[in-house]
Amino acid sequence: MTAYRFRIKFDPDPTSLWRDIVVGADRTITELQSSINPAVGLDQGHLWFVGEDEGYWDSAVKYQCPQEYEESLSGDPLLRTERIENAGDVTIGEMTRQLGLEQYDRICYLYDYGDEWRFYAILKEVLSDEPSDKEPAIVKEKGDPINDQHDPPETGESDPPLPEPLYSVLPETAVPVADLRGLEERDRVVHVIPLLSLETGFGAVCERFAIQFEDTGYVIENFQPGWQIVEEVDGVDKTEEELLAALADAAREWHAEIAEISGAVTGQHFDDETVEAMHVELEAELERKGYDHL
């Protein structure tokens, strides 16, 4: 009994559109792909392949859709620069073994060789208590599906506008913690929680924080220069405490994602203890506000 949990992320804007899919080890790559496209708003009318890491066209191994694989067999094998496999025959378990995938390793998925819709998938978890024949299922998601797949994807991230009063008061660089705390005096702001503060000669400054309004919460990161929303939490039908709890969970999840990204860049593995250490300011702020149970 083995299944895998992959986080499928839209390469041009990975923090705004992603889907978590759990799939059994005995299911094929084609079955996984068939669950991805409708989940992100794409059809099934074009060629595609899955590759290793984020190599895309440069992948040394390509798991091609069955249609392309059959056509590839008629070509000259001496001209190939990569190994090709039939995604309709290779199971998820076989792929993980062939690529040596471990937790937080990545694969890439390219759909439509004209418009080139690019996604990458992070192996979030190996589930030993799930059946190996489990059909692909969406278990968590963020972001709306693609509206028009015939409108080519943007090559760079489009930064969502910051909510007021942040848009007009935040500098492009790190903001003093005292100024952040002062935002709580504004009518619409319920909570401000510094998440990453640094001591400078001019006092403590913050490069990551969470802010809660009456009906929405945000986790915001300074990408030097410029602030971006990395997590948004809908507070509709939530009490103030329920929204704060959801916002705290979003901050913890962002910390885990930072560890994944850093691990992929540096080649290091950051364990749960490392991620927990990133929560220190969050937990301290919750305790200071009387919400240490969240």
Side-chain angles (χ1 to χ4, degrees):
M1 291 188 39
T2 304
Y4 300 90
R5 177 171 178 156
F6 288 96
R7 174 158 295 180
I8 316 295
K9 310 194 77 170
F10 183 39
D11 196 318
D13 195 357
T15 62
S16 297
L17 174 56
W18 52 260
R19 303 288 186 263
D20 277 9
I21 298 179
V22 172
V23 57
D26 292 344
R27 294 292 177 174
T28 66
I29 298 172
T30 295
E31 289 177 290
L32 173 60
Q33 185 272 344
S34 295
S35 70
I36 295 173
N37 278 29
V40 298
L42 298 176
D43 63 19
Q44 293 283 15
H46 299 276
L47 300 178
W48 56 269
F49 69 83
V50 169
E52 59 181 346
D53 199 44
E54 291 181 64
Y56 296 105
W57 291 112
D58 295 327
S59 294
V61 182
K62 291 190 177 78
Y63 299 92
Q64 297 176 337
C65 62
Q67 177 187 349
E68 182 181 15
Y69 179 77
E70 294 299 327
E71 294 173 355
S72 298
L73 294 180
S74 62
D76 187 347
L78 296 178
L79 298 178
R80 295 185 194 132
T81 58
E82 72 282 320
R83 188 176 98 238
I84 61 170
E85 300 279 354
N86 187 345
D89 291 338
V90 179
T91 66
I92 301 299
E94 289 170 339
M95 178 189 69
T96 60
R97 290 191 292 274
Q98 290 172 5
L99 299 181
L101 293 184
E102 297 180 352
Q103 189 176 28
Y104 303 131
D105 285 345
R106 301 183 177 202
I107 56 175
C108 58
Y109 166 50
L110 191 146
Y111 176 75
D112 186 349
Y113 299 168
D115 287 338
E116 291 198 11
W117 293 94
R118 296 186 177 213
F119 298 81
Y120 63 87
I122 301 168
L123 177 55
K124 296 279 290 184
E125 196 175 0
V126 179
L127 305 168
S128 58
D129 57 347
E130 292 281 357
S132 297
D133 62 351
K134 181 179 178 63
E135 294 184 0
I138 308 293
V139 295
K140 196 171 185 180
E141 60 185 328
K142 180 181 179 183
D144 295 328
I146 294 161
N147 287 326
D148 182 5
Q149 78 169 68
H150 301 295
D151 182 18
E154 298 291 335
T155 56
E157 291 188 20
S158 56
D159 302 338
L162 296 175
E164 286 294 354
L166 301 181
Y167 184 79
S168 56
V169 302
L170 280 184
E172 287 193 342
T173 55
V175 62
V177 172
D179 291 353
L180 274 182
R181 295 196 191 282
L183 292 175
E184 289 188 335
E185 299 176 4
R186 306 218 176 193
D187 290 340
R188 295 179 55 244
V189 179
V190 181
H191 295 291
V192 177
I193 302 176
L195 298 172
L196 177 61
S197 301
L198 305 172
E199 289 295 335
T200 71
F202 304 98
V205 297
C206 186
E207 294 193 335
R208 180 186 311 135
F209 67 94
I211 185 167
Q212 178 177 336
F213 295 89
E214 293 175 352
D215 57 359
T216 315
Y218 302 94
V219 178
I220 298 177
E221 182 92 14
N222 180 20
F223 284 95
Q224 298 185 352
W227 295 86
Q228 292 183 26
I229 296 171
V230 294
E231 297 286 349
E232 180 175 345
V233 180
D234 186 357
V236 175
D237 297 328
K238 289 185 175 70
T239 65
E240 175 187 327
E241 183 170 329
E242 288 172 342
L243 178 53
L244 181 59
L247 185 58
D249 286 342
R252 295 183 184 104
E253 185 155 314
W254 174 239
H255 289 161
E257 188 163 334
I258 291 172
E260 292 172 7
I261 295 170
S262 299
V265 171
T266 64
Q268 301 179 51
H269 173 66
F270 295 97
D271 56 18
D272 291 342
E273 187 174 339
T274 303
V275 176
E276 287 294 326
M278 299 173 70
H279 303 334
V280 169
E281 280 194 67
L282 169 64
E283 308 301 346
E285 282 294 312
L286 290 175
E287 183 176 0
R288 185 180 71 83
K289 291 174 175 288
Y291 293 101
D292 52 304
H293 57 286
L294 297 182

